[in-house]
Amino acid sequence: MTRRLAIYLPLSFLFLLLAGCTPATTPIDPNNGVWDKYFVGPLAQVLDWFATVLWGQYGLSILVVTVIIRLIILPLTLKQYKSSKRMQELQPEMKKIKEKYKDDAKKQQEETMKLFQSNGVNPLAGCLPLIVQMPILIALYNAIMRNHHINEHSFLWMQLGAKDPFYILPLCAALTTYLQQKMMKTQMNPQMQSLMFIFPVMIFVMAMNFASALPLYWIYSNIFTIIQSYFIYGGSSQNKVGPSK
């Protein structure tokens, strides 16, 4: 069950993101409900403020907001790393349980959960950063699409409110997605590793259809994750903690 969740939750995230990121033309109205008042509106104001400070460059404003968001969820990321490392340390015990109860899947699952509980390991801890980012990312997209200042603004070669006509951003978003997954490859189970080539393709297809500002956010976020992973997993990434094949 845990392995299935490890696969289905990220895919559900992308599905919900795709469903929630439909281009919106409705102006942001704080009186239009909780979503606009507490999520989209404040985030749009933060983007506007940083753009004012950063010489009117919304591309730089998105960078600053991205870094702030990633720093906010950094404690959860560290918790995810510790949980992942602890689960790898428990792999020998999990293997023994699997062999002992190979003919009883229910008992195998019960004993595995007992092992997790006795060692203070939460197998779903890795989903926390994903769950936290989901509403923020969807709100950011709405803040971008419904903020006419951003829609009309250009950054480098791109119009932030339009698709990248040269597909440079989608390619960079896909490439950085692959690299940030590769940095954490040794921390993934086989099921998650199998998604290493699926996610970049999905990100590329999605980025082709979104306004340039959102793929730009993904690229910034991925680069942050790559740097973060270097410092968090750097020492252990050279040697696999899990059982050798």
Side-chain angles (χ1 to χ4, degrees), residues 93-152:
E93 296 297 323
M94 293 170 64
K95 187 176 180 180
K96 290 179 182 178
I97 292 174
K98 188 174 182 179
E99 292 175 351
K100 184 176 181 179
Y101 302 104
K102 59 183 178 181
D103 298 324
D104 189 344
K106 184 177 180 180
K107 184 65 175 178
Q108 184 183 134
Q109 186 175 8
E110 289 176 355
E111 292 300 317
T112 301
M113 291 308 297
K114 287 180 182 178
L115 178 66
F116 289 158
Q117 291 174 1
S118 63
N119 287 273
V121 174
N122 181 3
L124 297 181
C127 301
L128 287 176
L130 197 64
I131 294 172
V132 170
Q133 284 187 84
M134 190 186 302
I136 297 175
L137 182 55
I138 296 176
L140 178 59
Y141 181 85
N142 276 268
I144 291 168
M145 290 302 298
R146 296 164 62 188
N147 187 326
H148 68 277
H149 295 114
I150 297 178
N151 290 338
E152 298 169 358

Side-chain angles (χ1 to χ4, degrees), residues 28-100:
I28 299 172
D29 183 2
N31 299 317
N32 196 31
V34 174
W35 182 241
D36 275 13
K37 184 175 182 178
Y38 295 107
F39 290 91
V40 181
L43 198 49
Q45 292 174 2
V46 170
L47 286 166
D48 288 341
W49 186 83
F50 276 115
T52 301
V53 174
L54 298 170
W55 313 283
Q57 294 293 323
Y58 276 95
L60 296 178
S61 175
I62 294 172
L63 170 61
V64 173
V65 173
T66 299
V67 172
I68 291 174
I69 290 173
R70 297 312 303 267
L71 288 175
I72 289 174
I73 67 169
L74 183 57
L76 293 177
T77 303
L78 293 175
K79 184 176 181 179
Q80 174 188 3
Y81 164 68
K82 291 177 181 178
S83 177
S84 175
K85 185 177 180 180
R86 188 66 182 125
M87 285 191 69
Q88 287 183 332
E89 293 172 351
L90 294 177
Q91 285 297 318
E93 296 297 323
M94 293 170 64
K95 187 176 180 180
K96 290 179 182 178
I97 292 174
K98 188 174 182 179
E99 292 175 351
K100 184 176 181 179

